Amino acid sequence: MSSNRADRLQSLAWLAVGAGLLWLLWLLSPILAPFVVAAVLAYICDPGVNWLVARRIPRALAVTMMIVGLGIMLMLLILILTPMVYREGLALVQRLPDLVDLLNSKVLPWAETQLGVTLQLDAGAIRKWLAGNWSTAQDVLTLLLARARSGGMALVGVVANLFLVPLVMFYLLQEWPRILGYLEDTVPRPWHARTTKLLSEVDQVMSEFLRGQLSVMLLLAIFYSIGLWLAGLRFALPVGVMTGLLVFIPFVGFSAGLLLALMAALLQAQGWPPIIGVAVVYSLGQLVESFLLTPYLVGERIGLHPLAVIFALMAFGELFGFVGVLVALPVSAALLVGGRELRTLYLESSLYRGDGDGAKVDQ
């Protein structure tokens, strides 16, 4: 058997192994969520652990400090936002008929005059519906707790995952250097230099995107919360934080936040100042994000186009569910680096340069 034929057979064997692993991941996707969440968080927190280790802190203690700090931040965020969102959400529902009256008296007459569109919303029907369902809306927490008690196994599964994520995260962060060393040792020696170079580029793309995007989310959440508060919006903190967190999905965070802020400003019924303030805050926020935060914290050289991010999130979410959403961007980063490598090989090939056998194509 010739060496070329042996190489081809070996390549096909590796492709079959890769396809088998993808199929196995697809089958196991319903139970992989806590492990993938832990792996993503471990990857994000690894530089912090390394920084603590460099300060002569034992790695196990550094990992514990990082996980505890992350847990405290998440718990504070939940404890602060959940009651506020619940309270403001109820107030928003109560004011919904007033918003309908405002639309009927101000917006819809303008639309009929300018666009010839005739439409009338029934505020009375909305008030009647709210009066009949208000007690149910107020008891939503009781209903959720009752459902949780009736679905005991589902509740046990959620609690188990909450404990499983930090546990898996601890072991991953503790063994991170050994895992990387083991993977590096398994790479065939003839491929070692190029493989480590590609993996380094993948790591650079993912780290710049994920850690940079987290910084952008945090800064924008602070900016929108303070800006909407200065604009006089009652729902400034929940709307601002929600806008910042959703910025991770291009265009969705800005659009959803602007819509929520405008609805809140209309429901305050204080005239044009809150509405103008919301427009100014979101215009400035878009400028700050596009021309200052994203270029400096994420970096334009990454090459992950916003449309590619949206497609990756939707495609992987459709194929693998929640797990697919978590791995969409890391896999896209790896595919991006692989695509760059394939393009480099193509530009160096005789087919592109037109020498050797490739020159005979046009003859």
Side-chain angles (χ1 to χ4, degrees):
M1 182 182 295
S2 65
S3 60
N4 290 335
R5 181 178 175 83
D7 290 341
R8 286 196 296 268
L9 289 176
Q10 190 178 35
S11 299
L12 289 175
W14 281 112
L15 288 175
V17 171
L21 289 176
L22 288 176
W23 180 69
L24 182 62
L25 288 175
W26 181 74
L27 290 178
L28 296 177
S29 59
I31 65 171
L32 288 179
F35 297 92
V36 176
V37 170
V40 173
L41 292 177
Y43 178 80
I44 294 173
C45 295
D46 183 61
V49 173
N50 293 335
W51 184 85
L52 292 174
V53 170
R55 270 67 185 172
R56 300 181 181 277
I57 296 177
R59 188 169 184 88
L61 180 58
V63 171
T64 304
M65 292 171 59
M66 187 62 63
I67 294 176
V68 171
L70 181 63
I72 291 175
M73 287 192 297
L74 292 177
M75 288 299 298
L76 288 176
L77 185 64
I78 293 173
L79 292 175
I80 292 173
L81 287 182
T82 300
M84 184 177 301
V85 170
Y86 178 75
R87 183 178 65 252
E88 301 294 354
L90 292 179
L92 188 64
V93 173
Q94 280 183 303
R95 297 293 302 276
L96 189 59
D98 298 333
L99 176 60
V100 174
D101 288 333
L102 181 63
L103 291 174
N104 285 333
S105 61
K106 302 292 184 181
V107 179
L108 295 183
W110 176 87
E112 183 177 359
T113 303
Q114 301 295 327
L115 306 175
V117 177
T118 302
L119 183 64
Q120 191 73 17
L121 301 176
D122 192 350
I126 295 177
R127 287 192 176 90
K128 183 178 179 181
W129 181 85
L130 288 176
N133 296 274
W134 184 245
S135 59
T136 304
Q138 288 181 312
D139 295 336
V140 64
L141 184 59
T142 305
L143 291 174
L144 289 176
L145 291 175
R147 290 289 297 274
R149 287 194 297 268
S150 63
M153 291 305 297
L155 180 61
V156 170
V158 172
V159 174
N161 286 338
L162 289 178
F163 282 99
L164 185 59
V165 168
L167 180 64
V168 176
M169 188 177 170
F170 176 85
Y171 284 111
L172 285 176
L173 283 172
Q174 176 70 14
E175 302 295 330
W176 200 270
R178 296 180 184 177
I179 293 174
L180 294 181
Y182 175 79
L183 293 176
E184 184 178 354
D185 290 339
T186 59
V187 176
R189 297 301 95 179
W191 301 350
H192 184 268
R194 173 161 286 184
T195 301
T196 53
K197 176 178 176 293
L198 290 178
L199 292 178
S200 176
E201 292 179 5
V202 171
D203 176 69
Q204 181 182 4
V205 170
M206 287 195 298
S207 62
E208 287 179 349
F209 187 87
L210 291 176
R211 293 163 191 152
Q213 193 64 55
L214 286 175
S215 301
V216 172
M217 290 164 58
L218 176 63
L219 292 175
L220 285 179
I222 296 173
F223 171 84
Y224 282 117
S225 298
I226 295 177
L228 293 175
W229 175 70
L230 292 176
L233 199 70
R234 285 183 52 199
F235 305 92
L237 184 59
V239 173
V241 172
M242 190 174 300
T243 303
L245 295 179
L246 290 177
V247 164
F248 189 75
I249 307 175
F251 311 119
V252 173
F254 174 80
S255 303
L258 178 60
L259 181 61
L260 288 174
L262 287 176
M263 288 181 59
L266 288 171
L267 289 173
Q268 289 185 198
Q270 295 179 356
W272 287 103
I275 299 175
I276 296 174
V278 167
V280 171
V281 169
Y282 275 84
S283 298
L284 290 176
Q286 188 69 7
L287 292 175
V288 169
E289 177 190 358
S290 301
F291 295 101
L292 183 62
L293 296 181
T294 299
Y296 282 97
L297 296 179
V298 179
E300 296 177 351
R301 63 183 181 279
I302 293 176
L304 284 175
H305 193 276
L307 291 179
V309 173
I310 294 175
F311 177 80
L313 291 171
M314 294 180 64
F316 281 86
E318 178 68 23
L319 292 174
F320 301 102
F322 178 66
V323 175
V325 175
L326 292 175
V327 302
L329 293 179
V331 174
S332 299
L335 293 176
L336 173 67
V337 174
R340 290 174 180 171
E341 182 68 13
L342 289 176
R343 184 176 185 275
T344 301
L345 294 176
Y346 168 69
L347 294 178
E348 295 174 352
S349 67
S350 59
L351 176 63
Y352 177 80
R353 296 198 310 268
D355 55 1
D357 294 336
K360 299 178 182 179
V361 176
D362 296 330
Q363 293 179 359

